Amino acid sequence: MNRLMLSFLMLWAALFVKAAEPLHDLDSIYHCLDMEIERYATYVAKKEAGINLLKRQLRNAQEPELKYAFCFQLYEEYRAFENHTAMNYLRACVRLAHQLGDPVRADRCHILLSICCSKTGLYDEAEKYLALVDVKQLSPKNLGDYYHACYKRNSELAYYTSVTDLKAGYQQKADEYEQLMQRFIPRNCDLSYQIRELRLLNSKQLEASMKLNTEWLRIVKKGSHRYALVALYRYLEYKAVNDTTRMMYWLAESALADVRNGIMDQGSLWEMANQLMLQGDVDRSYRYISFTSDCANRFGSRQRSWQISPLLAVIAKQYKMENEHKTELIQIAALSCGVLALLLLASVIFVNRQRKRLALASKKQKHYNRQLSQINAQLSELNRQLSSSNMKLGESNRVKEEYIGRFLSLCSLYVDKIESFRKQVNKKVKNRQYEELFRETRSTSLKERELDELYNNFDDAFLHLFPTFVEEFNALLQPAERIELTEDGHMPVSLRIFALIRIGIEDSSKIAEFLHYSVNTIYNYRARVKNGVIADRDNFERTVKKLGAQNKNT
């Protein structure tokens, strides 16, 4: 009886939500999404231009208050763009808040840092940031954010932990913090709508959850980053009632908003790739998951990478199987064309031999005619018969010539078809299998981007492993010779050389190979830094190898 009632309620809810809005043209919005992904670099460049403007304003700012404001704006810009950079600016906000003697703002930044850590799987770090917060002095708004950070950490742990015994405990804590959070956050904020709608969806109250989503949709601007979140939850509404067309439309709307806003945390597009794969659209699914994977790598989320990797493997396997099947068909077609070409060649040879035989017969016939003309009177009847034979031979020649002309035309047509097929195959290979490789290898920009990303990843990993390395390294140098990180938190070349030495790569040739400099340049960098050492220059590099050792397990 309960199952029948639940089925009835879901059917009624499905009829309700389907009547709420018309059907949409999925092909049109898919095409629009494909075009916007092609223009994604433009949207990213626009976002980076705004970020660069804020960075210039930050460099020109003098007062700590103004610096704090710009750093926090930069955190907001980087929050869905590059998580590690967003966290760097939050740390800068913490330092500025301490300079200003404002522990309230410092606590708020610690809370936001905890949320950033939870989003990317750094749960121990998230807990440590929360431990720095003085809960007693928090305002109601900051208290809501604090409970949100606690809820975020425990809900993420409950979702991702593979230890069954711990999952229930994490979920219980997440539920407790959710209730506390709801007391302090505004009812019309996105987080409140998100929690309430998810609760209604989980309890199968589909009419109420759709009504709440419609209310939420009215207060957000279409095309904004907030709109992407609302559209994603509307997708969940239609998914709950198995309305495939409307759910894919709203999922595409969410992905479109993320792409147009230059967002790197592409959750909607990842889910869309998954749904398209289930629906059999492997080509588009592979393009979307590859794009999402690139964005996730730049954003720096371990969870998103964990989500994408299995799906990427499945889609890649399916894509490979389809390509292999298409390749087999192409090979069969090419083999058939080859056999047909051989048959055509054999036919041409045969016809040519027949033509030669006919030419020889015609020549002999003329010789006979000359002989017969000398005895024309005696062999008039034979001449008549021979004349009749000549007429038949002439007709035969005409028929043969027509056949040869048609045959040669057919050969030419098949040659053109083979050439056209070859071009088509080449085009398909370029567009479907090697498109990205073809585009990226046309210039050296791919190498430069990849090297930048390699060095940035190296810097982030190294500084995470040895967070005190820069400070201890500079302590060995004279004040005027000390080397600081760049504004975006990465190491300059001279510092990166000694970072490589710190991890055991001492050979200048190997360092030069990794950094793409000449060996002499590496020698010069090393010598220049050693010249600025305070104490023992000969033992400097041995000392560098021991820096940050106490932080290896951090």
Side-chain angles (χ1 to χ4, degrees), residues 68 92-103 105-107 109:
Y68 178 91
C93 287
V94 171
R95 293 192 296 269
L96 290 166
H98 286 313
Q99 289 181 22
L100 292 166
D102 191 343
R105 280 193 283 193
D107 283 341
C109 292

Side-chain angles (χ1 to χ4, degrees), residues 384-481:
R384 185 184 64 80
Q385 294 176 356
L386 288 174
S387 178
S388 176
S389 297
N390 283 332
M391 289 178 62
K392 291 180 180 179
L393 286 171
E395 179 68 14
S396 177
N397 283 335
R398 188 180 64 80
V399 171
K400 295 296 183 182
E401 290 174 358
E402 178 70 15
Y403 176 74
I404 292 171
R406 288 178 177 271
F407 183 77
L408 291 175
S409 177
L410 184 61
C411 289
S412 176
L413 178 61
Y414 272 104
V415 169
D416 290 339
K417 285 185 177 180
I418 292 171
E419 177 61 14
S420 176
F421 182 74
R422 183 191 67 79
K423 291 180 179 179
Q424 184 180 0
V425 169
N426 186 45
K427 182 179 179 181
K428 284 184 177 180
V429 170
K430 287 182 180 178
N431 290 338
R432 295 190 178 185
Q433 184 176 0
Y434 302 111
E435 177 183 358
E436 185 175 351
L437 180 61
F438 177 76
R439 184 176 63 252
E440 293 183 350
T441 54
R442 286 182 301 179
S443 67
T444 60
S445 59
L446 174 64
K447 176 183 175 182
E448 294 170 357
R449 288 196 305 272
E450 294 301 325
L451 282 176
D452 288 340
E453 185 174 353
L454 171 65
Y455 297 150
N456 290 344
N457 287 337
F458 170 78
D459 292 351
D460 294 339
F462 181 84
L463 293 175
H464 178 70
L465 290 171
F466 305 101
T468 61
F469 176 81
V470 177
E471 181 181 350
E472 294 178 19
F473 183 82
N474 281 326
L476 301 175
L477 303 177
Q478 298 174 13
E481 301 297 329

Side-chain angles (χ1 to χ4, degrees), residues 186-194 196 211-224 226-227 230:
R187 191 167 179 79
N188 62 345
C189 74
D190 291 340
L191 183 59
S192 176
Y193 276 112
Q194 183 180 349
R196 285 184 287 148
K211 184 177 179 181
L212 183 64
N213 183 271
T214 302
E215 177 187 326
W216 188 11
L217 189 63
R218 290 195 192 103
I219 66 173
V220 299
K221 181 181 178 182
K222 184 173 182 178
S224 65
R226 293 177 63 200
Y227 177 81
V230 184

